[in-house]
Amino acid sequence: MDKYRIDSHKLIYHIPRVNDWLSGEMVYPIYAEIATSGTCNHRCTYCALDYMEYQQRFLDKKVLKERLSEMARLGIKSIMYAGEGEPLLHKDIGEIILHTKNAGIDVALTTNGAVFIPKLMKQTLAAVTWIKVSINGATKETYAKIHGTRAEDFDKVIKNIGEALKFKRENNLECAIGMQMILLPENWHEAALLAEKARELGVDYLVIKPYSQHSFSRTTVYKDFRYSEYMNLGETLRSMNTKDFQVIFRENTMKKWDDGKRNYERCLALPFWSYIDAGGNVWGCSAYLGDERFLYGNIYQNTFQEIWEGDLRRKSMQWVGSDLNTSQCRVNCRMDEINRYLWELQHPSGHVNFI
């Protein structure tokens, strides 16, 4: 069982805000993704945001902390630090994480783990709800090829994960530490080996997920890759589960990638989340970074409340609600399952009272 609902969604736990939205009220996001850094120390072959060009830009710590405190007051409940670059490359990321948690917002990290050094890990791990390390190979050679880095980084990342797990155990911390592999033609044969390594390390889970082609990405080598012939991996990988370790084989998401169909005609999820890039721009959708129809404002120029209640967002939401063709959106976008849920709420099938 996927106890973290990684292959599904968690909007079902936020019924009051969903009810407000259904009633036509303006709601603030539950979740936000923030890119503290525009640059990255890896050049992964599958990178969806390669078109952002790994810019050497970093969010201003002072402004970000002010906005984080404000966002907490407005009802934002969680923030994942990830984005178009490697979030841990920000020199003040430790202070930013601690401020986020102290403001009352849950914190998560998606990282390649190469710079999650013991000093930073010990500073922040108690404040982090979960950390997911991207590791797309079980051998140095495959890892280096896919991540576009040196083979030595593989050992470095494994060591950093091990140090984090040791610190977690010694201090009885609740942070979930996981690993993630995007299943590709170059690494599918190493999925079981990576699961073995993950279980031996003692991580909480390993996610095996499909690739998803970004509309703007310069990378197109995987756009025709299909997962039907790899579904049998699920049974093998799930057989490795224990009471303390779980392989989350995202079979549902893989089937959707192969099928490409949606049950919704409009994107309804945008009120519940947002994205802030490393330049401070606030976007409605991370799949359309650079498309100004999804640009709400900039945290250097306005407060988050002014941005969320401003004209740019209002016009964007009107356009999304009437003109955005979701059939052209990224398959398996981050809000796909939420859109399926919200569309069904607005367009229920018959006999709904027979619960």
Side-chain angles (χ1 to χ4, degrees), residues 72-311:
R73 292 193 298 269
L74 293 171
I76 284 77
K77 295 181 178 296
S78 66
I79 285 174
M80 179 176 74
Y81 288 111
E84 67 265 28
E86 166 53 50
L88 301 187
L89 289 178
H90 194 294
K91 65 182 179 64
D92 297 310
I93 187 63
E95 185 178 343
I96 291 168
I97 289 171
L98 294 179
H99 181 87
T100 307
K101 184 62 176 178
N102 290 334
I105 300 175
D106 291 342
V107 184
L109 293 169
T110 295
T111 172
N112 59 44
V115 293
F116 196 46
I117 57 177
K119 180 180 178 181
L120 176 61
M121 175 265 296
K122 292 176 181 177
Q123 179 190 11
T124 60
L125 202 61
V128 175
T129 300
W130 57 261
I131 179 168
K132 193 184 301 173
V133 179
S134 177
I135 182 164
N136 296 285
T139 62
K140 295 180 182 181
E141 296 76 18
T142 300
Y143 176 88
K145 179 181 179 181
I146 294 175
H147 281 257
T149 188
R150 301 168 303 170
E152 307 90 84
D153 270 13
F154 180 79
D155 289 335
K156 184 190 301 183
V157 171
I158 294 295
K159 181 181 178 181
N160 289 342
I161 295 173
E163 291 284 346
L165 290 163
K166 180 183 176 184
F167 186 76
K168 172 185 172 178
R169 289 191 298 267
E170 291 175 346
N171 293 274
N172 197 29
L173 303 180
E174 295 184 359
C175 174
I177 300 176
M179 296 161 61
Q180 177 172 280
M181 169 192 270
I182 294 180
L183 203 64
L184 299 170
E186 299 95 327
N187 68 11
W188 70 268
H189 60 289
E190 295 185 0
L193 179 57
L194 185 62
E196 288 179 9
K197 290 180 180 290
R199 187 174 61 182
E200 290 170 3
L201 264 176
V203 300
D204 294 288
Y205 61 86
L206 167 66
V207 176
I208 306 290
K209 64 178 286 188
Y211 173 79
S212 177
Q213 181 65 45
H214 193 292
S215 302
F216 302 156
S217 177
R218 296 170 181 171
T219 300
T220 59
V221 65
Y222 304 116
K223 66 182 178 66
D224 296 321
F225 186 50
R226 293 296 178 263
Y227 286 92
S228 55
E229 62 183 285
Y230 301 102
M231 290 300 178
N232 61 337
L233 275 174
E235 184 177 351
T236 300
L237 293 169
R238 285 189 287 267
S239 71
M240 304 172 73
N241 291 350
T242 70
K243 66 179 181 67
D244 299 315
F245 170 73
Q246 183 182 18
V247 180
I248 301 168
F249 186 74
R250 297 192 62 177
E251 186 172 344
N252 178 46
T253 309
M254 292 179 190
K255 289 178 179 177
K256 288 190 297 181
W257 167 248
D258 283 5
D259 180 70
K261 295 179 181 178
R262 297 175 170 87
N263 74 325
Y264 51 92
E265 299 173 9
R266 293 286 178 238
C267 180
L268 304 175
L270 300 192
F272 298 97
W273 89 298
S274 189
Y275 182 100
I276 301 177
D277 71 22
N281 297 303
V282 180
W283 300 90
C285 178
S286 63
Y288 286 97
L289 301 183
D291 185 334
E292 294 200 354
R293 291 174 298 184
F294 292 85
L295 178 62
Y296 296 166
N298 189 287
I299 61 171
Y300 294 134
Q301 300 167 5
N302 295 98
T303 66
F304 191 83
Q305 182 172 1
E306 289 170 340
I307 293 168
W308 201 253
E309 297 181 9
D311 285 342

